[in-house]
Amino acid sequence: MKINWGTAIVLVFIGFISFIMYFVIRMNTEEKYSHDLVTEEYYKEELAFQKEIDAEENAKELKNNIQVVKTTDGLVISFPEDKNYTNISGAISMYRPSNKRLDFEIPISLSNSTLIIKDENMIEGRWDIKIDWKYENISYLFKKSFTY
């Protein structure tokens, strides 16, 4: 059987469309290619955004802000030394953009001006940290993206 130009072009188009459809179906059905939304309650969080902006502005006005440093023990979070650590309350949220199952939150409970997140709780890669804390009824917010 002899194949002419018209038949060859149709066969190439069919092959190309089959190739594209294979990858579309594969990307939609395999679990490892599943990606989640950034947050489940997007609109609810959007309403609280002005409070976050005010808290971030309060944090920028601090003489010494929070310091986050990676050490061999884990992630060391140092609160401002000019604040009495017994009056600091709030929560630390660790967000992993690539996998929401690795996200976690820690309540702030200080015995000195530093807090350590143990190395076994952290996996190498990109993290976003959000420290929402209060001192003397003033809200502060610290955000940082880093690679652990």
Side-chain angles (χ1 to χ4, degrees), residues 103-120:
D103 297 352
F104 61 94
E105 188 169 301
I106 302 170
I108 296 174
S109 177
L110 300 174
S111 58
N112 58 24
S113 64
T114 61
L115 182 115
I116 298 176
I117 298 175
K118 298 287 184 192
D119 191 43
E120 58 262 11

PDB file of all heavy atoms in Angstrom, residues 103-120:
ATOM      1  N   ASP A 103       1.934  21.277  56.331  1.00  0.00           N
ATOM      2  CA  ASP A 103       1.647  22.509  57.069  1.00  0.00           C
ATOM      3  C   ASP A 103       1.375  22.180  58.533  1.00  0.00           C
ATOM      4  O   ASP A 103       0.784  21.145  58.850  1.00  0.00           O
ATOM      5  CB  ASP A 103       0.416  23.212  56.495  1.00  0.00           C
ATOM      6  CG  ASP A 103       0.605  23.654  55.057  1.00  0.00           C
ATOM      7  OD1 ASP A 103       1.733  23.554  54.547  1.00  0.00           O
ATOM      8  OD2 ASP A 103      -0.379  24.096  54.457  1.00  0.00           O
ATOM      9  N   PHE A 104       1.795  23.072  59.416  1.00  0.00           N
ATOM     10  CA  PHE A 104       1.473  22.905  60.826  1.00  0.00           C
ATOM     11  C   PHE A 104       1.470  24.258  61.520  1.00  0.00           C
ATOM     12  O   PHE A 104       1.959  25.251  60.993  1.00  0.00           O
ATOM     13  CB  PHE A 104       2.428  21.923  61.528  1.00  0.00           C
ATOM     14  CG  PHE A 104       3.873  22.326  61.527  1.00  0.00           C
ATOM     15  CD1 PHE A 104       4.416  23.032  62.585  1.00  0.00           C
ATOM     16  CD2 PHE A 104       4.706  21.975  60.471  1.00  0.00           C
ATOM     17  CE1 PHE A 104       5.765  23.388  62.586  1.00  0.00           C
ATOM     18  CE2 PHE A 104       6.050  22.323  60.468  1.00  0.00           C
ATOM     19  CZ  PHE A 104       6.574  23.026  61.531  1.00  0.00           C
ATOM     20  N   GLU A 105       0.870  24.272  62.715  1.00  0.00           N
ATOM     21  CA  GLU A 105       0.779  25.491  63.505  1.00  0.00           C
ATOM     22  C   GLU A 105       1.191  25.181  64.934  1.00  0.00           C
ATOM     23  O   GLU A 105       0.838  24.137  65.476  1.00  0.00           O
ATOM     24  CB  GLU A 105      -0.646  26.035  63.468  1.00  0.00           C
ATOM     25  CG  GLU A 105      -0.778  27.395  64.092  1.00  0.00           C
ATOM     26  CD  GLU A 105      -2.120  28.044  63.812  1.00  0.00           C
ATOM     27  OE1 GLU A 105      -2.446  28.232  62.626  1.00  0.00           O
ATOM     28  OE2 GLU A 105      -2.820  28.345  64.788  1.00  0.00           O
ATOM     29  N   ILE A 106       1.941  26.121  65.529  1.00  0.00           N
ATOM     30  CA  ILE A 106       2.439  25.956  66.891  1.00  0.00           C
ATOM     31  C   ILE A 106       1.985  27.156  67.716  1.00  0.00           C
ATOM     32  O   ILE A 106       2.213  28.299  67.304  1.00  0.00           O
ATOM     33  CB  ILE A 106       3.987  25.905  66.908  1.00  0.00           C
ATOM     34  CG1 ILE A 106       4.504  24.778  66.036  1.00  0.00           C
ATOM     35  CG2 ILE A 106       4.511  25.785  68.324  1.00  0.00           C
ATOM     36  CD1 ILE A 106       5.999  24.836  65.815  1.00  0.00           C
ATOM     37  N   PRO A 107       1.376  26.938  68.885  1.00  0.00           N
ATOM     38  CA  PRO A 107       1.069  28.074  69.743  1.00  0.00           C
ATOM     39  C   PRO A 107       2.362  28.610  70.373  1.00  0.00           C
ATOM     40  O   PRO A 107       3.290  27.855  70.649  1.00  0.00           O
ATOM     41  CB  PRO A 107       0.134  27.498  70.805  1.00  0.00           C
ATOM     42  CG  PRO A 107       0.388  26.034  70.779  1.00  0.00           C
ATOM     43  CD  PRO A 107       0.875  25.678  69.409  1.00  0.00           C
ATOM     44  N   ILE A 108       2.415  29.907  70.573  1.00  0.00           N
ATOM     45  CA  ILE A 108       3.615  30.512  71.159  1.00  0.00           C
ATOM     46  C   ILE A 108       3.542  30.369  72.671  1.00  0.00           C
ATOM     47  O   ILE A 108       2.634  30.886  73.318  1.00  0.00           O
ATOM     48  CB  ILE A 108       3.738  31.993  70.762  1.00  0.00           C
ATOM     49  CG1 ILE A 108       3.915  32.106  69.253  1.00  0.00           C
ATOM     50  CG2 ILE A 108       4.898  32.646  71.501  1.00  0.00           C
ATOM     51  CD1 ILE A 108       3.904  33.525  68.727  1.00  0.00           C
ATOM     52  N   SER A 109       4.512  29.648  73.222  1.00  0.00           N
ATOM     53  CA  SER A 109       4.656  29.468  74.657  1.00  0.00           C
ATOM     54  C   SER A 109       6.151  29.567  74.947  1.00  0.00           C
ATOM     55  O   SER A 109       6.909  28.643  74.655  1.00  0.00           O
ATOM     56  CB  SER A 109       4.102  28.108  75.068  1.00  0.00           C
ATOM     57  OG  SER A 109       4.304  27.900  76.436  1.00  0.00           O
ATOM     58  N   LEU A 110       6.570  30.694  75.504  1.00  0.00           N
ATOM     59  CA  LEU A 110       8.002  30.970  75.643  1.00  0.00           C
ATOM     60  C   LEU A 110       8.486  30.803  77.080  1.00  0.00           C
ATOM     61  O   LEU A 110       7.819  31.226  78.026  1.00  0.00           O
ATOM     62  CB  LEU A 110       8.300  32.402  75.182  1.00  0.00           C
ATOM     63  CG  LEU A 110       7.951  32.742  73.733  1.00  0.00           C
ATOM     64  CD1 LEU A 110       8.156  34.219  73.479  1.00  0.00           C
ATOM     65  CD2 LEU A 110       8.796  31.919  72.785  1.00  0.00           C
ATOM     66  N   SER A 111       9.673  30.214  77.226  1.00  0.00           N
ATOM     67  CA  SER A 111      10.358  30.172  78.518  1.00  0.00           C
ATOM     68  C   SER A 111      11.554  31.122  78.509  1.00  0.00           C
ATOM     69  O   SER A 111      12.152  31.384  79.531  1.00  0.00           O
ATOM     70  CB  SER A 111      10.809  28.748  78.841  1.00  0.00           C
ATOM     71  OG  SER A 111      11.652  28.266  77.827  1.00  0.00           O
ATOM     72  N   ASN A 112      11.908  31.596  77.326  1.00  0.00           N
ATOM     73  CA  ASN A 112      12.873  32.685  77.144  1.00  0.00           C
ATOM     74  C   ASN A 112      12.506  33.388  75.844  1.00  0.00           C
ATOM     75  O   ASN A 112      11.454  33.117  75.282  1.00  0.00           O
ATOM     76  CB  ASN A 112      14.326  32.184  77.168  1.00  0.00           C
ATOM     77  CG  ASN A 112      14.598  31.140  76.112  1.00  0.00           C
ATOM     78  OD1 ASN A 112      13.923  31.070  75.102  1.00  0.00           O
ATOM     79  ND2 ASN A 112      15.595  30.303  76.363  1.00  0.00           N
ATOM     80  N   SER A 113      13.347  34.267  75.354  1.00  0.00           N
ATOM     81  CA  SER A 113      12.964  35.058  74.185  1.00  0.00           C
ATOM     82  C   SER A 113      13.129  34.312  72.860  1.00  0.00           C
ATOM     83  O   SER A 113      12.887  34.881  71.807  1.00  0.00           O
ATOM     84  CB  SER A 113      13.757  36.362  74.150  1.00  0.00           C
ATOM     85  OG  SER A 113      15.126  36.080  73.995  1.00  0.00           O
ATOM     86  N   THR A 114      13.519  33.031  72.904  1.00  0.00           N
ATOM     87  CA  THR A 114      13.655  32.255  71.668  1.00  0.00           C
ATOM     88  C   THR A 114      12.766  31.013  71.710  1.00  0.00           C
ATOM     89  O   THR A 114      12.443  30.501  72.776  1.00  0.00           O
ATOM     90  CB  THR A 114      15.115  31.797  71.431  1.00  0.00           C
ATOM     91  OG1 THR A 114      15.522  30.973  72.516  1.00  0.00           O
ATOM     92  CG2 THR A 114      16.036  32.983  71.289  1.00  0.00           C
ATOM     93  N   LEU A 115      12.398  30.556  70.537  1.00  0.00           N
ATOM     94  CA  LEU A 115      11.604  29.342  70.381  1.00  0.00           C
ATOM     95  C   LEU A 115      12.276  28.516  69.283  1.00  0.00           C
ATOM     96  O   LEU A 115      12.699  29.070  68.272  1.00  0.00           O
ATOM     97  CB  LEU A 115      10.168  29.703  69.981  1.00  0.00           C
ATOM     98  CG  LEU A 115       9.228  28.534  69.841  1.00  0.00           C
ATOM     99  CD1 LEU A 115       8.136  28.640  70.900  1.00  0.00           C
ATOM    100  CD2 LEU A 115       8.606  28.510  68.480  1.00  0.00           C
ATOM    101  N   ILE A 116      12.379  27.211  69.488  1.00  0.00           N
ATOM    102  CA  ILE A 116      13.031  26.336  68.510  1.00  0.00           C
ATOM    103  C   ILE A 116      12.007  25.356  67.942  1.00  0.00           C
ATOM    104  O   ILE A 116      11.305  24.671  68.683  1.00  0.00           O
ATOM    105  CB  ILE A 116      14.201  25.555  69.143  1.00  0.00           C
ATOM    106  CG1 ILE A 116      15.273  26.514  69.648  1.00  0.00           C
ATOM    107  CG2 ILE A 116      14.797  24.573  68.144  1.00  0.00           C
ATOM    108  CD1 ILE A 116      16.415  25.842  70.378  1.00  0.00           C
ATOM    109  N   ILE A 117      11.941  25.313  66.617  1.00  0.00           N
ATOM    110  CA  ILE A 117      11.158  24.288  65.933  1.00  0.00           C
ATOM    111  C   ILE A 117      12.147  23.187  65.569  1.00  0.00           C
ATOM    112  O   ILE A 117      13.093  23.422  64.820  1.00  0.00           O
ATOM    113  CB  ILE A 117      10.466  24.854  64.688  1.00  0.00           C
ATOM    114  CG1 ILE A 117       9.496  25.964  65.090  1.00  0.00           C
ATOM    115  CG2 ILE A 117       9.740  23.752  63.934  1.00  0.00           C
ATOM    116  CD1 ILE A 117       8.856  26.678  63.921  1.00  0.00           C
ATOM    117  N   LYS A 118      11.945  22.022  66.113  1.00  0.00           N
ATOM    118  CA  LYS A 118      12.899  20.918  65.965  1.00  0.00           C
ATOM    119  C   LYS A 118      13.126  20.543  64.505  1.00  0.00           C
ATOM    120  O   LYS A 118      12.232  20.665  63.668  1.00  0.00           O
ATOM    121  CB  LYS A 118      12.415  19.680  66.731  1.00  0.00           C
ATOM    122  CG  LYS A 118      12.281  19.890  68.202  1.00  0.00           C
ATOM    123  CD  LYS A 118      13.626  19.951  68.844  1.00  0.00           C
ATOM    124  CE  LYS A 118      13.450  20.058  70.359  1.00  0.00           C
ATOM    125  NZ  LYS A 118      14.670  20.384  71.018  1.00  0.00           N
ATOM    126  N   ASP A 119      14.333  20.066  64.241  1.00  0.00           N
ATOM    127  CA  ASP A 119      14.753  19.697  62.885  1.00  0.00           C
ATOM    128  C   ASP A 119      13.898  18.567  62.306  1.00  0.00           C
ATOM    129  O   ASP A 119      13.642  18.537  61.114  1.00  0.00           O
ATOM    130  CB  ASP A 119      16.233  19.294  62.914  1.00  0.00           C
ATOM    131  CG  ASP A 119      16.828  19.162  61.528  1.00  0.00           C
ATOM    132  OD1 ASP A 119      16.529  20.041  60.696  1.00  0.00           O
ATOM    133  OD2 ASP A 119      17.573  18.201  61.284  1.00  0.00           O
ATOM    134  N   GLU A 120      13.417  17.649  63.158  1.00  0.00           N
ATOM    135  CA  GLU A 120      12.623  16.532  62.638  1.00  0.00           C
ATOM    136  C   GLU A 120      11.234  16.978  62.152  1.00  0.00           C
ATOM    137  O   GLU A 120      10.571  16.241  61.433  1.00  0.00           O
ATOM    138  CB  GLU A 120      12.469  15.407  63.673  1.00  0.00           C
ATOM    139  CG  GLU A 120      11.849  15.818  64.964  1.00  0.00           C
ATOM    140  CD  GLU A 120      12.857  16.106  66.071  1.00  0.00           C
ATOM    141  OE1 GLU A 120      14.059  16.180  65.802  1.00  0.00           O
ATOM    142  OE2 GLU A 120      12.417  16.274  67.206  1.00  0.00           O
TER     143      GLU A 120
END
